[in-house]
């Protein structure tokens, strides 16, 4: 009788342990949050949304397969007739114009992209950023960008953005600088696909 009770207790313990482990796994895998920050000359702003226009993968030679875009902001962005429509609640907006390496056309590389402009020495075949804007104190009216305190990657003497990806979550770190301007930031979360019509 004691052996049967001991065996029964052992089986119940294993069942309870397995159930608890499965519940814990579900809790951690369901947690996903979009959060980030943009710091411009010491002033910190919140980033809560990310968007991406993936690389072109068609056959039209007029489109560069190396090029893709992503946007970090604090509210919604959509595309209508290939035009950006911005939420009126947006107050900061960063648009990244990115190029993967010449060896990886049609892909988003999870690596570091350096700023390419007249102030930097970046090889065109390597991953790079150009013509990207960092905007704070943004004013949006009727879905269109009206004004903001804007800085351009074209004016920076150095800068880079690194992208990594794991289980649907992107981690993006960036920094740009030029004499009196220092910009850093990070974002961890999903990137919603904006379907550009090529």
């Amino acid at each position: 009788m004691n052996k049967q009770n001991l065996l029964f207790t052992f089986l119940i313990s294993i069942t309870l342990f397995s159930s608890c482990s499965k519940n814990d796994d579900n809790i951690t895998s369901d947690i996903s949050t979009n959060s980030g920050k943009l710091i411009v000359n010491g002033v910190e702003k919140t980033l809560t949304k990310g968007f991406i226009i993936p690389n072109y993968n068609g056959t039209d030679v007029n489109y560069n397969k190396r090029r893709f875009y992503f946007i970090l902001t604090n509210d919604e962005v959509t595309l209508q007739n290939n035009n950006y429509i911005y939420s009126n609640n947006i107050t900061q907006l960063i648009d990244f114009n990115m190029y993967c390496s010449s060896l990886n056309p049609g892909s988003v590389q999870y690596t570091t992209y350096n700023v390419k402009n007249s102030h930097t020495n970046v090889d065109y075949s390597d991953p790079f950023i150009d013509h990207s804007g960092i905007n704070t104190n943004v004013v949006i009216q009727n879905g269109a960008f009206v004004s903001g305190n804007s800085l351009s990657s074209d004016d920076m003497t150095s800068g880079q953005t690194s992208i990594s990806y794991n289980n649907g979550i992107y981690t993006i770190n960036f920094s740009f600088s030029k004499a009196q301007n220092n910009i850093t930031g990070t974002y961890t979360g999903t990137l919603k696909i904006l379907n550009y019509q090529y």
Side-chain angles (χ1 to χ4, degrees), residues 81-122:
N81 299 319
N82 285 349
N83 295 311
Y84 291 119
I85 306 297
Y86 301 110
S87 161
N88 288 340
N89 296 321
I90 287 176
T91 54
Q92 45 269 357
L93 171 69
I94 313 165
D95 61 274
F96 292 87
N97 184 36
M98 312 291 288
Y99 288 80
C100 65
S101 77
S102 59
L103 299 176
N104 294 276
S107 69
V108 174
Q109 281 181 273
Y110 305 120
T111 188
T112 298
Y113 297 73
N114 291 303
V115 168
K116 180 172 174 33
N117 61 29
S118 61
H119 307 289
T120 63
N121 185 21
V122 175

Side-chain angles (χ1 to χ4, degrees), residues 53-58 63-68 98-113 123-128 163:
I53 297 177
N55 310 62
Y56 173 70
N57 280 308
Y63 295 108
N64 190 334
K65 291 185 177 186
R66 293 178 59 189
R67 191 177 194 180
F68 67 96
M98 312 291 288
Y99 288 80
C100 65
S101 77
S102 59
L103 299 176
N104 294 276
S107 69
V108 174
Q109 281 181 273
Y110 305 120
T111 188
T112 298
Y113 297 73
D123 191 314
Y124 181 75
S125 63
D126 291 337
F128 68 89
I163 306 172

Side-chain angles (χ1 to χ4, degrees), residues 114-156:
N114 291 303
V115 168
K116 180 172 174 33
N117 61 29
S118 61
H119 307 289
T120 63
N121 185 21
V122 175
D123 191 314
Y124 181 75
S125 63
D126 291 337
F128 68 89
I129 313 163
D130 76 348
H131 308 306
S132 298
I134 302 100
N135 307 283
T136 56
N137 301 318
V138 170
V139 175
I140 305 290
Q141 290 179 358
N142 300 317
F145 183 96
V146 174
S147 65
N149 296 335
S150 299
L151 297 168
S152 172
S153 68
D154 294 345
D155 300 323
M156 299 296 155

